[in-house]
Amino acid sequence: MFKDTKAFSGFSVNDVAAAKAFYSDILGLEVEENPEMQGILTLHIAGGGKIIIYPKPNHTPASFTILNFPVADVAEAVKQLKAKGVKFESYDWPGFKTDDDNIFRDGGPLIAWFTDPAGNILSVIQE
């Protein structure tokens, strides 16, 4: 039924202007404002994918990773994003701990988590 459908994802934010600045200026993504859908942003990602960001007055940040950005070098990506003011999450749970650079290095791909201005969780993950 949906085999040939170009699906897309979406998530909410509480401040569209802050989201637009973050995703375009900090992350360097192409962000489009759609005049027909007032207040809704479209993120254009590599490969032709699109993600919708929509305002929600009673927004609650996602408690899980909503968007993963594969990168060749997680440590370098973390360094560059920190230089732009991005704060990374630190975890210290039994069996799950990030290091002093906020990178999880204990099994699986290297990964580091951060949040957008609305508190949604994003990651950079090593390819």
Side-chain angles (χ1 to χ4, degrees):
M1 179 172 185
F2 297 120
K3 183 178 138 211
D4 297 318
T5 300
K6 292 184 181 177
F8 63 91
S9 181
F11 58 88
S12 70
V13 297
N14 56 351
D15 184 337
V16 172
K20 182 180 180 188
F22 178 79
Y23 285 97
S24 62
D25 299 342
I26 302 295
L27 299 187
L29 296 172
E30 180 187 341
V31 179
E32 175 186 11
E33 293 183 68
N34 189 330
E36 290 105 37
M37 298 189 294
Q38 196 169 22
I40 295 181
L41 303 175
T42 301
L43 297 181
H44 295 270
I45 57 174
K50 295 179 183 178
I51 299 167
I52 301 298
I53 297 177
Y54 55 92
K56 186 176 177 198
N58 61 345
H59 166 76
T60 301
S63 60
F64 52 87
T65 308
I66 62 163
L67 202 51
N68 297 284
F69 294 98
V71 295
D73 185 340
V74 165
E76 183 59 29
V78 168
K79 180 180 169 183
Q80 289 179 17
L81 288 169
K82 283 182 177 181
K84 292 182 175 189
V86 174
K87 292 185 178 24
F88 280 79
E89 300 296 302
S90 292
Y91 298 107
D92 189 2
W93 301 333
F96 189 87
K97 180 176 173 52
T98 52
D99 65 15
D100 291 340
D101 293 322
N102 308 101
I103 300 172
F104 178 75
R105 301 177 189 265
D106 205 18
L110 301 183
I111 186 167
W113 294 269
F114 59 101
T115 59
D116 71 3
N120 294 310
I121 302 169
L122 315 171
S123 84
V124 286
I125 183 167
Q126 193 143 320
E127 293 182 290

Coordinates of all heavy atoms in Angstrom, one line a residue, residues 62-68 91 111 113 120-123:
A62 N 10.2 15.8 23.2 CA 10.2 14.3 23.0 C 11.2 13.8 24.1 O 12.3 14.4 24.3 CB 10.6 13.9 21.6
S63 N 10.9 12.6 24.7 CA 11.8 12.0 25.6 C 12.7 11.0 25.0 O 13.4 10.2 25.7 CB 11.0 11.4 26.8 OG 10.2 10.4 26.3
F64 N 12.8 11.0 23.7 CA 13.6 10.1 22.9 C 14.2 10.8 21.7 O 13.9 12.0 21.5 CB 12.7 8.9 22.4 CG 11.5 9.4 21.6 CD1 11.6 9.7 20.3 CD2 10.3 9.6 22.3 CE1 10.4 10.2 19.6 CE2 9.2 10.1 21.7 CZ 9.3 10.4 20.3
T65 N 15.2 10.2 21.1 CA 15.9 10.9 20.0 C 14.9 11.0 18.8 O 14.5 9.9 18.3 CB 17.2 10.1 19.6 OG1 17.9 9.9 20.8 CG2 18.0 10.9 18.6
I66 N 14.7 12.2 18.3 CA 13.7 12.4 17.2 C 14.5 12.4 15.8 O 13.9 12.3 14.8 CB 12.9 13.6 17.4 CG1 13.7 14.9 17.4 CG2 12.0 13.5 18.6 CD1 12.9 16.1 17.1
L67 N 15.8 12.8 15.9 CA 16.5 13.0 14.6 C 18.0 12.6 14.9 O 18.6 13.1 15.8 CB 16.4 14.4 14.2 CG 16.6 14.9 12.8 CD1 15.8 14.0 11.8 CD2 16.2 16.4 12.7
N68 N 18.5 11.8 14.0 CA 19.9 11.4 14.1 C 20.7 11.9 12.9 O 20.2 11.7 11.8 CB 20.1 9.8 14.2 CG 19.4 9.2 15.4 OD1 19.9 9.3 16.5 ND2 18.2 8.6 15.2
Y91 N 25.1 11.6 30.2 CA 24.4 10.5 30.8 C 25.4 9.7 31.7 O 26.5 9.4 31.3 CB 23.8 9.6 29.8 CG 22.8 10.3 28.9 CD1 23.1 10.6 27.6 CD2 21.5 10.6 29.4 CE1 22.2 11.2 26.8 CE2 20.6 11.2 28.6 CZ 20.9 11.6 27.3 OH 20.0 12.2 26.5
I111 N 28.2 8.0 19.6 CA 27.0 8.9 19.5 C 27.0 9.9 20.6 O 27.5 9.7 21.7 CB 25.7 8.0 19.6 CG1 24.5 8.9 19.3 CG2 25.6 7.2 20.9 CD1 23.2 8.0 19.0
W113 N 24.4 13.2 22.2 CA 23.0 13.8 22.1 C 23.0 15.2 22.5 O 23.8 15.6 23.4 CB 22.1 13.0 23.0 CG 21.9 11.6 22.6 CD1 20.9 11.1 21.8 CD2 22.6 10.4 23.0 NE1 21.0 9.8 21.6 CE2 22.0 9.3 22.3 CE3 23.7 10.2 23.8 CZ2 22.5 8.0 22.5 CZ3 24.2 8.9 23.9 CH2 23.6 7.9 23.3
N120 N 13.7 19.1 22.2 CA 13.7 17.8 21.5 C 15.1 17.2 21.4 O 16.0 18.0 21.2 CB 13.1 17.9 20.1 CG 11.6 18.3 20.1 OD1 10.8 17.7 20.8 ND2 11.3 19.4 19.4
I121 N 15.2 15.9 21.6 CA 16.6 15.3 21.6 C 17.0 14.9 20.1 O 16.2 14.3 19.4 CB 16.6 14.0 22.5 CG1 16.2 14.4 23.9 CG2 17.9 13.4 22.4 CD1 15.9 13.2 24.8
L122 N 18.2 15.3 19.8 CA 18.8 15.0 18.5 C 20.2 14.3 18.8 O 20.7 14.4 19.9 CB 19.1 16.3 17.7 CG 18.0 17.3 17.7 CD1 18.4 18.6 17.1 CD2 16.8 16.8 16.9
S123 N 20.8 13.7 17.8 CA 22.1 13.1 18.0 C 23.0 13.3 16.8 O 22.5 13.5 15.6 CB 22.0 11.7 18.3 OG 21.9 10.9 17.1

